[in-house]
Amino acid sequence: KILSGTKLKGALDGEAIELIEGKVKTDHPKFWSASGTPMLSEKSVNVLTKIISDDAEIIKLNSPDEHYYLLNIVKVLDAIDYDKSTFEKLKTGLVIGLESYALIPDVVEGHNIFKLLLNNRVMSTEVFVSDKFKNEVEKSNLIGFKFIEVWSN
């Protein structure tokens, strides 16, 4: 359910986790159970809550060492500009992803973290963030985030 873009209303609060990070602790460790579900440190949550609270549900996890949280992204936007995007297709013509993105500015404006609909299905493994989100991460020196520009209006 965490990949569907729907609120879980506490269903996973306190879920036990085991951290396997190695020697370098980050503010955005990899969550292996569900690709496309960001995992955040307490520092990340403190920095980002004010700009993501309308678009994501923060789920506290139970870790023996430190406080970590899953970010359930509940804002799913129908924002792909199908005329300007380039699609990844199977030989049958079935669209399975995007090679280049073009988004509808009026739809994404004001959202700092979201997922997209592609042919009426949630692109569950992809997470999109605004420049505001990226700037907050960089300004706060949060470690472990990787940003790839996919579209610029």
Side-chain angles (χ1 to χ4, degrees):
K1 288 185 177 182
I2 199 158
L3 297 175
S4 69
T6 58
K7 287 196 176 194
L8 299 177
K9 299 179 180 125
L12 293 176
D13 283 345
E15 189 73 27
I17 61 165
E18 179 182 353
L19 294 176
I20 309 171
E21 268 199 288
K23 295 179 183 177
V24 179
K25 296 275 185 198
T26 72
D27 295 304
H28 179 44
K30 173 88 171 137
F31 182 62
W32 293 98
S33 293
S35 182
T37 304
M39 187 171 170
L40 303 175
S41 69
E42 189 162 35
K43 180 181 177 184
S44 293
V45 168
N46 291 336
V47 168
L48 298 170
T49 294
K50 64 184 176 279
I51 67 166
I52 63 170
S53 60
D54 291 339
D55 299 329
E57 181 179 45
I58 298 168
I59 301 169
K60 185 174 183 180
L61 299 170
N62 180 9
S63 169
D65 302 320
E66 299 179 38
H67 297 288
Y68 284 96
Y69 303 80
L70 285 183
L71 201 54
N72 180 23
I73 299 160
V74 296
K75 183 56 67 181
V76 179
L77 302 175
D78 191 1
I80 296 172
D81 185 332
Y82 285 86
D83 294 329
K84 296 179 182 174
S85 297
T86 306
F87 299 94
E88 182 180 353
K89 298 178 183 180
L90 296 176
K91 290 179 182 179
T92 62
L94 178 68
V95 173
I96 59 170
L98 283 109
E99 292 177 1
S100 68
Y101 292 81
L103 303 180
I104 303 167
D106 292 345
V107 177
V108 298
E109 187 175 332
H111 299 288
N112 292 310
I113 189 165
F114 56 92
K115 293 191 177 198
L116 291 173
L117 285 176
L118 176 62
N119 294 330
N120 297 316
R121 299 183 102 169
V122 177
M123 294 176 61
S124 60
T125 60
E126 304 292 332
V127 177
F128 299 86
V129 299
S130 66
D131 288 336
K132 183 176 183 177
F133 182 100
K134 179 181 178 283
N135 293 338
E136 282 294 317
V137 166
E138 291 172 347
K139 180 176 81 175
S140 302
N141 296 313
L142 296 175
I143 300 166
F145 288 82
K146 181 180 177 183
F147 299 102
I148 301 168
E149 185 174 25
V150 295
W151 172 74
S152 180
N153 62 345

